[in-house]
Amino acid sequence: MQADVHPKCESFLDGSNPRALAIRSLAALDPNRDIYTLANVAELNLPKLRCDRPDLEIFVTDALLESLKAGTAEVSLTVPKEGDAPFIALSGFTGSLIIDFKDSDSAFVMGHCQNFSFKALMYANSFISIGRATSCNSCSATVADAVIVLGSDCMLSHGIILQPSDQHDIIDVDTGLVINQKRSIVIDRHVWIGKEAYIGAGVTIGKDSIVGARSVVAASVPEATIVAGNPAKAVKSGISWTRRFTRSASTER
C-alpha cells in the first residue's frame, strides 16, 4: 500500500486503536506538503466548519483553512458531546465533508485532496484514512469496528458506497461461530471507481485498477485490473488509466 496513508491494515485488526493508527498515518505524510496543527473549532470561527461540540480540537492545515475561508469547502462534524473526542486531521479540498461520529473511539485522517464530497457514519473502534490528491464526486461509508484506507491519487465517481463490515453477526448454526468477521476495505493508490459501485467487507483493490459502474465488489481485485458486474469479475488485466480525456479516434501509446 502507498506509504502516505498506511502500509497495511492488519495491525488495526490485531488491536491497534484508531488514535494510534491515525497518528502513524499523519507521521507518514510528507511534512513539506501537509503541515498539520491543532486548532479549536470554536476559535477558528469559520461558517463553513460546523460542529456541535464547541471545545472540539482537530488537526488542520493552512490549505484547509484557505478552502473554508474561500467557501470552496464545507465540513460538518457531529461528535459525542462528552468525554474524549475523536481524532480528526483534515487538509485542503474542494467540496463537502460530513462525518457523524457515534463514538469517540474513532479517527479520520485526510491528506490534501482535489474535488472531494464524502459522507461517513463512524461507530466505535473505526478508522478512515484518505490519501493525498484523491478526488470523489460523492461517496458514503458506514464504519463499525472497521477500517477504510483509500490511497493517494484515486478517482471516485458518483454514488459510491464503502461498507467495510456487515454490522450484524452471521452465525454458523452447526458451530455457533461468527462467520462474517471481515473488517476492512483497502484501496491502493491510483484506483478508479465507477458510478454507484459498492465495495464490500474484506476487499483490497490493487493499484492502477478500475471498478466498473454499478459493480458489486465482494472479492479483492489485483493491481492493474478492470472488474465489472455483480458480483464484480475481472474483464481485463495489464491496464492503467489517466484523468486525461483524449478526444481523438487514435490510441495513444
Side-chain angles (χ1 to χ4, degrees), residues 29-35 132:
L29 289 167
D30 183 351
N32 295 318
R33 298 178 61 180
D34 292 287
I35 301 175
R132 180 186 300 111

Side-chain angles (χ1 to χ4, degrees), residues 220-236:
S220 292
V221 178
E223 65 179 51
T225 300
I226 300 175
V227 297
N230 181 7
K233 296 182 179 179
V235 296
K236 187 172 179 60

Side-chain angles (χ1 to χ4, degrees), residues 135-150:
S135 63
C136 174
N137 287 326
S138 64
C139 177
S140 63
T142 302
V143 192
D145 189 24
V147 56
I148 293 175
V149 176
L150 178 57

Side-chain angles (χ1 to χ4, degrees), residues 67 72-73 92-97 110-118 130-139 150 153-158 243:
S67 298
T72 57
F93 68 100
T94 299
S96 172
L97 182 63
M110 179 179 177
H112 192 126
C113 287
Q114 304 180 36
N115 296 329
F116 199 84
S117 292
F118 191 89
I130 310 293
R132 180 186 300 111
T134 283
S135 63
C136 174
N137 287 326
S138 64
C139 177
L150 178 57
D153 193 29
C154 291
M155 184 170 68
L156 280 64
S157 185
H158 297 272
R243 295 175 186 269

Side-chain angles (χ1 to χ4, degrees), residues 56-121:
L56 180 69
E57 292 186 329
I58 65 174
F59 286 92
V60 299
T61 65
D62 288 343
L64 174 67
L65 298 181
E66 290 171 6
S67 298
L68 292 169
K69 291 174 182 176
T72 57
E74 294 186 53
V75 176
S76 177
L77 304 172
T78 303
V79 300
K81 293 180 173 57
E82 297 181 352
D84 294 336
F87 186 104
I88 304 169
L90 307 175
S91 191
F93 68 100
T94 299
S96 172
L97 182 63
I98 302 171
I99 315 175
D100 186 354
F101 293 94
K102 296 300 185 183
D103 193 281
S104 60
D105 184 22
S106 51
F108 187 99
V109 174
M110 179 179 177
H112 192 126
C113 287
Q114 304 180 36
N115 296 329
F116 199 84
S117 292
F118 191 89
K119 184 176 182 179
L121 180 60

Side-chain angles (χ1 to χ4, degrees), residues 106-245:
S106 51
F108 187 99
V109 174
M110 179 179 177
H112 192 126
C113 287
Q114 304 180 36
N115 296 329
F116 199 84
S117 292
F118 191 89
K119 184 176 182 179
L121 180 60
M122 301 186 68
Y123 291 91
N125 198 36
S126 296
F127 173 71
I128 296 178
S129 180
I130 310 293
R132 180 186 300 111
T134 283
S135 63
C136 174
N137 287 326
S138 64
C139 177
S140 63
T142 302
V143 192
D145 189 24
V147 56
I148 293 175
V149 176
L150 178 57
S152 61
D153 193 29
C154 291
M155 184 170 68
L156 280 64
S157 185
H158 297 272
I160 311 299
I161 296 176
L162 303 179
Q163 186 78 29
S165 65
D166 294 332
Q167 296 180 255
H168 305 281
D169 290 347
I170 299 175
I171 311 297
D172 184 302
V173 295
D174 292 326
T175 65
L177 298 176
V178 177
I179 59 175
N180 61 331
Q181 297 192 46
K182 295 177 180 178
R183 295 287 191 273
S184 67
I185 291 174
V186 179
I187 300 172
D188 207 339
R189 60 185 174 85
H190 195 61
V191 170
W192 177 5
I193 301 180
K195 185 176 181 179
E196 297 178 1
Y198 176 96
I199 314 298
V203 167
T204 296
I205 302 177
K207 65 180 181 180
D208 296 329
S209 290
I210 300 173
V211 175
R214 297 188 175 178
S215 295
V216 176
V217 185
S220 292
V221 178
E223 65 179 51
T225 300
I226 300 175
V227 297
N230 181 7
K233 296 182 179 179
V235 296
K236 187 172 179 60
S237 60
I239 59 90
S240 186
W241 59 273
T242 176
R243 295 175 186 269
R244 184 178 66 251
F245 179 45

